[in-house]
Amino acid sequence: MLFARNLEFSPGSEADLDDPENAPRGSSIVIGYGRFGQIVAQMLHAVDCSVTLIDKKPSQIELSGRFDTKVYFGDGLRIDVLRRAGAEEARLIIFCADDRSIDAAALAPIVEAFPNARVLTRVFDRRQLLAIDGAGTVGAVREVFESSIALGAMALQQLEVAPREIEDVEMALRQLDAERLGMQISEGDLGAGRDYRFVAGGGRQAASVLEALRERRAAAKRAREEAEADQAA
Amino acid sequence: MLFARNLEFSPGSEADLDDPENAPRGSSIVIGYGRFGQIVAQMLHAVDCSVTLIDKKPSQIELSGRFDTKVYFGDGLRIDVLRRAGAEEARLIIFCADDRSIDAAALAPIVEAFPNARVLTRVFDRRQLLAIDGAGTVGAVREVFESSIALGAMALQQLEVAPREIEDVEMALRQLDAERLGMQISEGDLGAGRDYRFVAGGGRQAASVLEALRERRAAAKRAREEAEADQAA
């Protein structure tokens, strides 16, 4: 019915509905086609962005071939390899390899050589996040950070913590973690911001974030009770 | 104001508002206190669940000590070590170590020995998910799966894909991935379900999931246009 009515107002709109999604969105280069790169590549395929895959492990290339995926051989940190892979026209260059040695000195020349491309990268830990700071990349994710939050959330579910509270804990943790990272980067010291963690008994800063969340939940509970009392009156 | 009005209806409710959150929620044992276990432990601390930490790397224990965290030394796969850590009373035993050798044969005796505890585990990849199948654990997360989705989402943002569409892609990928895993587990074959991936040009199954999402988005767009047209009329 929605469809029929729509035709009255904008005839012919159906034919071009698919356009923005089907149009080539430029191309991307994914370096490292293991567990990490495979998922990133799938997401790019899903929006019809063309993907060139590079890996320096022959075994990975061979395995991928058996799954009908063409992966090119090469070291994706080399400018000449990237150029041959089409980096000058690429919109994205994404480092997905398991390589904790990649730092700002390795990435900066790539960012500079291919100004049309945005560079994103997987990192090992917060130490590597500090090490790539200043390279000009537009995004980075610590490789086990998100999965550790997911397993933590599963654990809280098992303790029958309410979904809403789990969300709050996750949000608070992300906020504290981001602030801690900011301090670690600006001070160049991994020891900075150690209060910005949830510890047994509550870190000083963490405790106040959690307290704010508790107050928010308490206020929501009071509002619910009030609404129920109003209905009962 | 909510607060003042609430007092009229349920006086004294403020004092016990904190109760469910402050009550001890039982205890947990986290095995492996590296990048992964640290985040899981923080989330448990955030809900005041007591946490006993075990690691078998002295260097990790020493490092954690410098960050004011007590980590016990031991092999968390051993029943006697777990028992000494209080596994009989624990509600959760969570394996967060970087150990892709853990399989159902290693986990099943632990699940059996401590019936009060739910067991969760980090795994290396889908191969290890298959290997732990049948052990009786209640949850597992592939260690880089969530972060790879997060980096993929960042990549789509850079391509200016709409947030709603990124959500759809993520949902579709998770759905396909779960179905593929189900087939891999039931057939005991990693090659099963290879159609359940987004590939260049679209996998058969993936294409139909994406097509369904495209139709949903198109319907939403038509509804929006209709609403706008109604307002303009």
Side-chain angles (χ1 to χ4, degrees):
Chain A
M1 200 186 79
L2 278 176
F3 178 73
R5 286 194 59 191
N6 181 59
L7 279 181
E8 294 173 20
F9 296 103
S10 46
S13 71
E14 195 201 1
D16 59 355
L17 273 176
D18 272 353
D19 273 5
E21 288 138 20
N22 289 340
R25 292 180 194 265
S27 60
S28 58
I29 300 173
V30 170
I31 296 121
Y33 193 64
R35 301 167 294 163
F36 202 106
Q38 286 165 25
I39 296 294
V40 171
Q42 276 202 60
M43 292 179 75
L44 293 164
H45 288 314
V47 297
D48 296 323
C49 173
S50 66
V51 184
T52 302
L53 302 167
I54 302 177
D55 205 297
K56 59 181 181 183
K57 273 196 205 156
S59 62
Q60 186 61 59
I61 293 173
E62 196 271 326
L63 180 68
S64 302
R66 278 192 273 142
F67 282 79
D68 307 322
T69 304
K70 174 70 188 160
V71 179
Y72 294 89
F73 175 72
D75 178 353
L77 285 169
R78 281 175 47 181
I79 303 277
D80 59 329
V81 169
L82 287 171
R83 185 164 283 128
R84 286 203 303 278
E88 257 149 21
E89 293 79 36
R91 292 182 62 187
L92 292 172
I93 300 173
I94 314 177
F95 289 92
C96 298
D98 175 15
D99 182 354
R100 65 170 104 174
S101 74
I102 295 176
D103 58 10
L107 293 174
I110 294 166
V111 171
E112 203 176 325
F114 306 111
N116 289 330
R118 307 279 176 86
V119 179
L120 296 121
T121 178
R122 159 188 181 175
V123 295
F124 183 75
D125 60 3
R126 57 177 66 234
R127 207 179 295 261
Q128 195 176 7
L129 270 187
L130 267 66
I132 66 165
D133 184 50
T137 56
V138 297
V141 175
R142 280 164 284 175
E143 64 181 20
V144 302
F145 184 68
E146 296 294 333
S147 289
S148 63
I149 289 178
L151 195 68
M154 280 186 193
L156 300 195
Q157 270 167 30
Q158 293 296 329
L159 295 177
E160 288 166 23
V161 176
R164 168 91 183 247
E165 189 176 349
I166 297 176
E167 250 175 61
D168 284 351
V169 165
E170 181 181 329
M171 232 164 43
L173 183 132
R174 287 182 187 277
Q175 184 187 325
L176 288 166
D177 180 83
E179 289 177 26
R180 185 177 169 210
L181 261 176
M183 284 184 280
Q184 289 174 317
I185 288 174
S186 68
E187 298 177 28
D189 173 11
L190 272 177
R194 63 168 68 192
D195 268 353
Y196 285 66
R197 291 178 298 154
F198 289 116
V199 295
R204 189 152 44 90
Q205 187 59 34
S208 76
V209 171
L210 207 54
E211 189 50 40
L213 290 170
R214 279 189 185 126
E215 278 168 22
R216 191 183 111 190
R217 282 198 305 276
K221 190 183 169 193
R222 284 193 297 270
R224 274 197 309 278
E225 284 172 347
E226 182 195 357
E228 281 164 23
D230 279 347
Q231 287 193 319
Chain B
M1 199 187 79
L2 277 177
F3 179 71
R5 286 194 58 191
N6 180 60
L7 279 182
E8 293 173 19
F9 296 104
S10 46
S13 72
E14 197 202 0
D16 59 355
L17 273 176
D18 272 352
D19 271 6
E21 290 138 18
N22 289 340
R25 291 180 195 266
S27 60
S28 59
I29 300 173
V30 170
I31 296 121
Y33 192 64
R35 300 167 295 163
F36 202 107
Q38 287 166 25
I39 297 294
V40 171
Q42 276 203 60
M43 292 179 75
L44 293 164
H45 289 314
V47 297
D48 296 323
C49 174
S50 67
V51 185
T52 302
L53 302 167
I54 301 176
D55 205 298
K56 60 180 179 182
K57 272 197 206 156
S59 61
Q60 186 61 60
I61 294 173
E62 196 270 326
L63 180 67
S64 302
R66 278 191 272 141
F67 281 80
D68 306 322
T69 305
K70 174 71 188 159
V71 179
Y72 294 90
F73 175 72
D75 177 354
L77 285 169
R78 281 176 47 181
I79 303 276
D80 60 328
V81 169
L82 287 170
R83 186 164 283 129
R84 286 204 303 280
E88 256 149 22
E89 293 78 37
R91 292 182 62 186
L92 293 173
I93 299 173
I94 314 176
F95 289 92
C96 298
D98 175 15
D99 182 354
R100 66 170 103 172
S101 75
I102 295 176
D103 58 10
L107 293 174
I110 294 167
V111 170
E112 204 175 326
F114 306 111
N116 289 329
R118 306 280 175 84
V119 179
L120 296 121
T121 178
R122 159 187 180 175
V123 295
F124 183 76
D125 59 4
R126 57 177 66 235
R127 206 179 296 261
Q128 195 177 6
L129 269 188
L130 267 66
I132 66 164
D133 184 50
T137 56
V138 298
V141 175
R142 281 164 282 174
E143 63 181 19
V144 301
F145 184 69
E146 297 294 332
S147 289
S148 63
I149 289 178
L151 195 68
M154 280 185 193
L156 299 195
Q157 270 168 29
Q158 292 297 329
L159 295 177
E160 286 166 23
V161 176
R164 168 91 183 248
E165 189 177 350
I166 297 177
E167 252 175 61
D168 284 350
V169 165
E170 181 181 330
M171 235 164 42
L173 183 132
R174 287 181 186 278
Q175 185 187 326
L176 288 166
D177 180 83
E179 289 177 27
R180 184 177 171 210
L181 260 175
M183 285 185 279
Q184 288 174 318
I185 288 174
S186 68
E187 296 177 29
D189 173 13
L190 272 177
R194 62 168 67 193
D195 267 353
Y196 286 66
R197 291 178 300 155
F198 290 116
V199 295
R204 189 151 46 88
Q205 188 59 33
S208 77
V209 171
L210 208 53
E211 189 50 40
L213 289 171
R214 281 189 183 125
E215 278 168 21
R216 192 183 113 190
R217 281 198 305 275
K221 189 183 170 194
R222 283 194 296 271
R224 274 197 310 277
E225 285 173 349
E226 182 193 358
E228 281 164 21
D230 279 348
Q231 288 194 319

